[in-house]
Amino acid sequence: MSTDRFRRVVAGAGALTLALTGGVVGLAATAQAATKTTTVFVECDAPAPQPDGSGNQTFAVTLPDTAKAGDTVPITVDAGPSPLLPQFAVTTENTTKITLVVGQGLQTIVGDPETVTVTPGVPLDPKPVVKTVKVPDGTEGTTVDVRLDVIVTDASLGGTVFTTTCTPKPRPSATLNSIAVEALPKDPVTTRLTPNSGKAGTKVVATGANFPAGGVTCSALLAGTATGDTGSGTADASGAATCELTVSEKADEIRIDGGAGKPFVFLEEQPGVKNPVDVEVLPGPLAIGPKDGFPAAQWGSVTINGKPQNVIGAFNAATVQDFRGGSLGWDVTATRTPFLNESTGHAMTKAQIGIQPTCTVTNPDSPSTCTAGAPGAITGTPMQVASSPAGGDQLTGGEFAVGGAGMIQLPPFMFADTYQSVVTFSIA
């Protein structure tokens, strides 16, 4: 018998310089929805000791008939019974994750957790996943097809997550449903005000995107009502608009034509003695912790039996703090050292360790969200386990927890010994 002990060390890195472009997300106008049902042959990789399986599975996908490029539209994916036949009676909390090919890019939708009572020999039939997808930019006047790339089911049992992955063959699947993208441009939007604050008499330059070429008008509003302050400008052939106005009345928003506006802070003159108060806000760190890492985690033991075996465990959640006060994003990656016993010199070169990443926001005031990376094997090459996008003109930052369920795949034969691998989470 060998006891496998694994220690996790967390290391920090420098500030992120990666810039992820953030787009404008608009909800699509009400459109007629259509449902199409497609039979897809899938091959399913189930966690041991559940055997793998394959077979036909139906997918009923509901989408709007039409939308604009850049719109966020509702989607319902109702997956039929899985081709896997369960071998055990158990109650689990299941989460369905469906990765779709929308046009030429991948988008993942995640269903709400559901409590499932598994009956041996009866295939699982998950609840429909009702979420949204984004119609890709630049698809005006085309038809965007939606196809299946992979469907993942995470079953939580006693705090441990067991993952079943089903992939279509061929991958991606045939078209599950389509959206006809209007030939019209995306909705116009005001993107920046320079300056975005000032007192009466302040001249403001407003810029925007997605406007028809030609003349444009900008206006100031207070609580949604026009104040009477207006200006004029032009939009070029690409839809980029520039407009200038002078603010003479109290306003809290400036917009170009009918596009979405940007906030404006009006500074009112106050009678009396002026007493200016300055406060300097210094940037804080981008850090991951705890600083000194975690103690060795006990992931149980196995007895050599001539067959490959799995050890299930969980990674302690590392804390991520982004106090930089800017608009940058970040990435957390994981690497590991080989499975060794440095005292005896024994190694398990064929052993693998995988992670099902999780990332949660721990401070509700955080301006940013975070996204967990795709499940996979941790190696000596950095693997992305979590990320938060750059904000463009918007503030980013916050506090987060990054961790996940883990599984070690052991070879059928090895020296009976105590082995250790160090998994390092780094941030940049």
Side-chain angles (χ1 to χ4, degrees), residues 262-276:
K262 297 289 285 184
F264 181 81
V265 179
F266 186 79
L267 304 177
E268 296 186 77
E269 287 288 344
Q270 301 289 337
V273 178
K274 308 296 185 191
N275 191 347

Side-chain angles (χ1 to χ4, degrees), residues 32-77:
Q32 183 177 354
T35 302
K36 178 182 177 182
T37 301
T38 307
T39 300
V40 178
F41 183 83
V42 297
E43 296 181 336
C44 298
D45 180 15
Q50 165 74 41
D52 297 339
S54 62
N56 290 326
Q57 187 171 10
T58 61
F59 291 85
V61 177
T62 304
L63 281 169
D65 288 334
T66 60
K68 290 183 179 180
D71 278 347
T72 297
V73 299
I75 184 173
T76 299
V77 180

Side-chain angles (χ1 to χ4, degrees), residues 83-180:
L84 280 179
L85 294 179
Q87 304 294 308
F88 309 98
V90 67
T91 297
T92 60
E93 185 177 73
N94 289 6
T95 301
T96 301
K97 303 177 181 179
I98 304 173
T99 299
L100 302 166
V101 181
V102 183
Q104 301 299 318
L106 296 178
Q107 298 185 41
T108 300
I109 58 175
V110 182
D112 297 328
E114 60 173 313
T115 300
V116 176
T117 300
V118 181
T119 302
V122 178
L124 295 180
D125 188 1
K127 291 182 178 180
V129 178
V130 182
K131 296 294 177 179
T132 60
V133 293
K134 182 181 178 181
V135 181
D137 292 325
T139 56
E140 292 87 346
T142 67
T143 297
V144 171
D145 294 330
V146 175
R147 296 169 290 165
L148 176 67
D149 179 67
V150 65
I151 178 170
V152 174
T153 302
D154 289 337
S156 178
L157 178 62
T160 299
V161 176
F162 298 88
T163 298
T164 299
T165 302
C166 296
T167 54
K169 188 176 180 180
R171 180 180 184 183
S173 72
T175 300
L176 303 180
N177 209 334
S178 302
I179 303 173

Side-chain angles (χ1 to χ4, degrees), residues 313-331:
F315 293 94
N316 295 318
T319 59
V320 171
Q321 295 178 323
D322 183 3
F323 298 152
R324 292 172 293 175
S327 58
L328 296 175
W330 49 261
D331 290 284

Side-chain angles (χ1 to χ4, degrees), residues 6-405:
F6 303 92
R7 181 165 57 93
R8 180 164 163 238
V9 173
V10 181
L16 178 67
T17 57
L18 175 66
L20 301 178
T21 303
V24 177
V25 176
L27 292 177
T30 301
Q32 183 177 354
T35 302
K36 178 182 177 182
T37 301
T38 307
T39 300
V40 178
F41 183 83
V42 297
E43 296 181 336
C44 298
D45 180 15
Q50 165 74 41
D52 297 339
S54 62
N56 290 326
Q57 187 171 10
T58 61
F59 291 85
V61 177
T62 304
L63 281 169
D65 288 334
T66 60
K68 290 183 179 180
D71 278 347
T72 297
V73 299
I75 184 173
T76 299
V77 180
D78 187 359
S82 169
L84 280 179
L85 294 179
Q87 304 294 308
F88 309 98
V90 67
T91 297
T92 60
E93 185 177 73
N94 289 6
T95 301
T96 301
K97 303 177 181 179
I98 304 173
T99 299
L100 302 166
V101 181
V102 183
Q104 301 299 318
L106 296 178
Q107 298 185 41
T108 300
I109 58 175
V110 182
D112 297 328
E114 60 173 313
T115 300
V116 176
T117 300
V118 181
T119 302
V122 178
L124 295 180
D125 188 1
K127 291 182 178 180
V129 178
V130 182
K131 296 294 177 179
T132 60
V133 293
K134 182 181 178 181
V135 181
D137 292 325
T139 56
E140 292 87 346
T142 67
T143 297
V144 171
D145 294 330
V146 175
R147 296 169 290 165
L148 176 67
D149 179 67
V150 65
I151 178 170
V152 174
T153 302
D154 289 337
S156 178
L157 178 62
T160 299
V161 176
F162 298 88
T163 298
T164 299
T165 302
C166 296
T167 54
K169 188 176 180 180
R171 180 180 184 183
S173 72
T175 300
L176 303 180
N177 209 334
S178 302
I179 303 173
V181 185
E182 297 179 14
L184 301 174
K186 295 180 291 184
D187 292 335
V189 60
T190 307
T191 56
R192 181 188 291 270
L193 303 179
T194 308
N196 61 1
S197 65
K199 58 186 179 180
T202 299
K203 291 185 177 181
V204 177
V205 176
T207 57
N210 309 324
F211 289 89
V216 295
T217 300
C218 47
S219 56
L221 300 92
L222 178 64
T225 302
T227 65
D229 290 334
T230 61
S232 60
T234 59
D236 62 19
S238 71
T242 302
C243 187
E244 181 178 310
L245 62 75
T246 298
V247 177
S248 62
E249 307 252 348
K250 183 177 182 180
D252 58 14
E253 180 185 358
I254 294 175
R255 67 174 61 166
I256 302 176
D257 285 338
K262 297 289 285 184
F264 181 81
V265 179
F266 186 79
L267 304 177
E268 296 186 77
E269 287 288 344
Q270 301 289 337
V273 178
K274 308 296 185 191
N275 191 347
V277 177
D278 290 343
V279 59
E280 183 180 12
V281 179
L282 301 177
L286 172 67
I288 190 168
K291 181 179 178 180
D292 298 324
F294 293 103
Q298 301 292 333
W299 276 30
S301 62
V302 296
T303 300
I304 298 172
N305 61 8
K307 301 181 184 302
Q309 298 184 72
N310 295 329
V311 178
I312 304 297
F315 293 94
N316 295 318
T319 59
V320 171
Q321 295 178 323
D322 183 3
F323 298 152
R324 292 172 293 175
S327 58
L328 296 175
W330 49 261
D331 290 284
V332 172
T333 58
T335 56
R336 73 168 178 91
T337 61
F339 289 94
L340 299 172
N341 185 312
E342 295 182 4
S343 298
T344 62
H346 294 153
M348 293 192 301
T349 58
K350 295 183 178 180
Q352 299 290 331
I353 182 169
I355 184 173
Q356 178 84 37
T358 60
C359 187
T360 57
V361 178
T362 56
N363 185 337
D365 292 327
S366 300
S368 292
T369 59
C370 68
T371 302
I378 303 174
T379 66
T381 301
M383 168 196 177
Q384 186 184 68
V385 294
S387 63
S388 184
D393 292 336
Q394 303 301 315
L395 176 67
T396 60
E399 295 183 273
F400 315 88
V402 177

